[in-house]
Amino acid sequence: MAEKVDVVIVGSGFGGGIPALRLAEDGRKVVCLEWGKRNTAKDFLQSWDPRYLATLYNVLNSRDFTMWVRRARTLGGGSVLFSGACLRSPREVFDYVDLTGYKVWPDEITREVMNPFYDLVEAKLKIRQVRWDEVPKAGGTFAKMLANLGKTCDRTCFDYENCLQCGFCEAGCTYSRKITLLDTYIPEAESLGAEFRTECEAFDLEKEPGGYRVRYQDRYGNWQEIEGGLVILAASAIETPCILLRSRAHLPNLSSQVGKNYNNNGDIAFYFLLPEGWPSAELYKGRTNAAVMCYAFWAEHRITFHPGCNPPGIFSAVEIHRRAGPGSLPWGLEHKQMVKKYYPDRMLGVLAIGLIDSVGEVGITEDGRPWVDIPMTAYLQNYISRVEGVMQTIAEGNGAELLYTALDGYEHGDAHCLATCRMGRDPARSVCDPYGEVHSYPGLFVSDGSTIPAGTGVNPALTIAANAERIADYIVKNR
């Protein structure tokens, strides 16, 4: 007989850890299943060794092998391993209409509706805007490049206290300076009786008279079952739709949109080769996010820019190379010599984030493993070319050279996965209602990045967290 509790949550990142606390505060018995380990600062390493990173992330190649996506695999999820940038989405995000004329965000969700929930997360994680003296040289360099064009930027908001700028934000902070769910929501939920079971991977679920039964594999490889009156899926925009797809035989009325509408948040990775004679950008120093961001092109292009500080290991993950001449291949002796010559002084990475239509899909193989497909459609290529034009203007205005970051042009998204179980009123267009409840299945909710209907215009972490607070608030009051 399956174990029974009030609430089963799958995933302990922003989408799962936050509802765990709010429902525990409401007096409910909560069990959260997390596929990663319980890591703390003493377990993290200042290392980019792929063997170490493989203990923290799960990486999935796209079907055509042109890109890859990563998902956090540790208690606390993305809150532990992301760059720390916490930004509210501009209000235009919530009014976005795609090329078919569909308004992707439900009318029930506006910036005004989200603001109180942004407030809750910002207070809990002590999010603040950094001072200019906390901006590393890489961020200052990009600010100077924009100023040379008469453009502006501003400082980013982070969930750090007394950051040492060591640069290993996405390998786990060994100094406990990043305020994560491990410091806030999770221990507070545990103090109220919530249980977080690590190294437990959910596989599928089925409807029961009193709720839903979740089947999962524990750390020893044994199959277990647990039944919850409510179930909340928050396993990432890759894993959550796969759990639902594996459950379709038991949940036949699921929307056909499960796994559809994958959105990479409009992410495109760019690199500049800075002019000779400029002060060193010291690319190896500072937070992964270089602490400044640019809204100067938002009104015209609906894009924002975010420079970064990157370790040498970036060259094994992103195919950075020149367009022609020596160093025009992302491998070999000439590439090695180019990196040795220009890194870390004259190379500067910048991530573009923008509002785009969803063009990808997540699905499962015959044996239930996930796959992701992000085809290079004419629409996506046009978007990349448009953003490239803006970046080329910045490069030319500073005497810099714009580098490629992929064999076919530019790396376009690996971390900000959204919209595969998006919210909406119409089951033909969405998987969940505006409060995260799965169409046709009362008591089954989704509260992670997969519910976010499209791009967020900035790093999506704060919007995912605030939306999880909003969904948890609805559940407490209505379920």
Side-chain angles (χ1 to χ4, degrees):
M1 180 177 292
E3 174 187 7
K4 294 185 179 182
V5 296
D6 296 327
V7 184
V8 176
I9 299 175
V10 179
S12 66
F14 288 119
I18 289 173
L21 172 59
R22 300 311 181 197
L23 292 169
E25 288 176 334
D26 195 47
R28 308 195 196 192
K29 173 60 177 175
V30 176
V31 171
C32 183
L33 305 176
E34 164 57 49
W35 70 339
K37 295 181 178 181
R38 181 184 287 264
N39 293 301
T40 63
K42 66 181 178 61
D43 301 306
F44 298 131
L45 302 175
Q46 291 192 338
S47 171
W48 299 112
D49 187 326
R51 292 168 296 185
Y52 165 65
L53 296 178
T55 68
L56 300 176
Y57 292 98
N58 186 289
V59 176
L60 179 67
N61 286 310
S62 62
R63 296 182 91 175
D64 60 4
F65 294 97
T66 59
M67 63 167 292
W68 49 275
V69 296
R70 56 190 164 119
R71 296 95 80 205
R73 191 172 184 174
T74 186
L75 184 67
S79 79
V80 178
L81 299 175
F82 82 130
S83 69
C86 295
L87 299 157
R88 299 189 181 200
S89 289
R91 67 181 62 254
E92 293 87 357
V93 165
F94 303 98
D95 297 324
Y96 183 72
V97 176
D98 69 18
L99 289 178
T100 70
Y102 178 63
K103 182 177 178 292
V104 295
W105 284 84
D107 291 338
E108 290 88 342
I109 309 174
T110 65
R111 172 61 185 268
E112 288 70 26
V113 168
M114 291 290 286
N115 280 338
F117 302 105
Y118 282 132
D119 290 340
L120 287 173
V121 179
E122 289 170 344
K124 182 71 74 176
L125 300 182
K126 299 181 182 178
I127 295 166
R128 66 175 180 86
Q129 187 178 36
V130 299
R131 304 183 307 270
W132 276 111
D133 64 359
E134 297 176 281
V135 174
K137 285 189 176 180
T141 299
F142 188 60
K144 177 62 175 175
M145 293 176 74
L146 293 169
N148 289 342
L149 273 67
K151 302 295 184 181
T152 60
C153 65
D154 203 354
R155 298 148 293 148
T156 301
C157 298
F158 290 95
D159 60 348
Y160 289 88
E161 278 191 324
N162 302 317
C163 178
L164 298 179
Q165 306 277 0
C166 70
F168 288 91
C169 310
E170 296 182 15
C173 184
T174 61
Y175 299 110
S176 298
R177 303 302 172 92
K178 185 193 299 182
I179 303 171
T180 74
L181 269 64
L182 292 177
D183 308 299
T184 52
Y185 288 91
I186 289 175
E188 291 178 31
E190 288 180 319
S191 72
L192 295 170
E195 182 183 353
F196 290 80
R197 297 179 186 174
T198 55
E199 299 176 78
C200 292
E201 185 172 358
F203 186 77
D204 61 8
L205 68 156
E206 60 182 288
K207 187 78 176 74
E208 295 288 344
Y212 297 87
R213 180 179 299 189
V214 178
R215 190 161 64 109
Y216 69 96
Q217 205 165 19
D218 66 20
R219 68 182 63 188
Y220 305 108
N222 299 318
W223 286 101
Q224 306 287 353
E225 293 183 341
I226 184 170
E227 186 176 324
L230 297 176
V231 169
I232 302 173
L233 299 179
S236 83
I238 303 296
E239 300 301 328
T240 289
C242 290
I243 292 171
L244 289 174
L245 289 171
R246 290 193 292 261
S247 307
R248 192 179 286 282
H250 306 297
L251 305 175
N253 295 323
L254 284 171
S255 168
S256 63
Q257 295 299 297
V258 174
K260 304 291 199 308
N261 308 302
Y262 176 93
N263 192 296
N264 75 337
N265 206 35
D267 289 6
I268 313 173
F270 293 93
Y271 256 80
F272 293 108
L273 181 58
L274 302 173
E276 188 173 355
W278 277 37
S280 173
E282 296 185 352
L283 196 63
Y284 60 96
K285 291 184 180 179
R287 299 182 184 92
T288 307
N289 183 303
V292 300
M293 63 168 301
C294 174
Y295 285 111
F297 302 92
W298 178 256
E300 182 178 359
H301 296 286
R302 291 293 188 260
I303 53 176
T304 59
F305 291 122
H306 312 257
C309 299
N310 301 120
I314 193 70
F315 294 97
S316 66
V318 181
E319 297 168 328
I320 302 167
H321 60 287
R322 306 184 85 164
R323 295 168 178 240
S328 59
L329 290 175
W331 60 74
L333 181 59
E334 287 185 350
H335 180 259
K336 180 179 179 180
Q337 291 172 339
M338 180 193 75
V339 173
K340 182 178 180 180
K341 182 177 181 180
Y342 298 125
Y343 177 90
D345 301 318
R346 291 179 54 195
M347 285 185 163
L348 179 64
V350 178
L351 178 68
I353 296 177
L355 298 187
I356 63 170
D357 286 8
S358 299
V359 298
E361 182 178 356
V362 170
I364 55 173
T365 60
E366 290 185 358
D367 58 355
R369 291 178 297 173
W371 54 257
V372 60
D373 184 28
I374 309 174
M376 183 54 71
T377 62
Y379 170 83
L380 182 56
Q381 183 59 64
N382 181 66
Y383 167 74
I384 293 173
S385 297
R386 179 162 54 87
V387 182
E388 178 189 26
V390 175
M391 296 301 276
Q392 189 65 50
T393 298
I394 296 174
E396 293 173 357
N398 285 277
E401 178 183 341
L402 190 61
L403 305 176
Y404 283 136
T405 56
L407 281 177
D408 59 350
Y410 301 99
E411 165 68 27
H412 52 285
D414 71 305
H416 299 157
C417 309
L418 305 168
T420 50
C421 293
R422 68 183 184 182
M423 299 177 291
R425 278 294 176 195
D426 183 0
R429 293 273 201 166
S430 60
V431 176
C432 310
D433 73 12
Y435 302 97
E437 195 162 22
V438 175
H439 295 305
S440 301
Y441 292 98
L444 177 59
F445 288 82
V446 179
S447 60
D448 57 16
S450 64
T451 65
I452 304 300
T456 60
V458 292
N459 184 303
L462 185 59
T463 295
I464 293 171
N467 190 55
E469 284 276 18
R470 188 184 64 86
I471 290 173
D473 180 71
Y474 173 83
I475 294 173
V476 167
K477 294 176 179 176
N478 296 279
R479 291 291 185 274

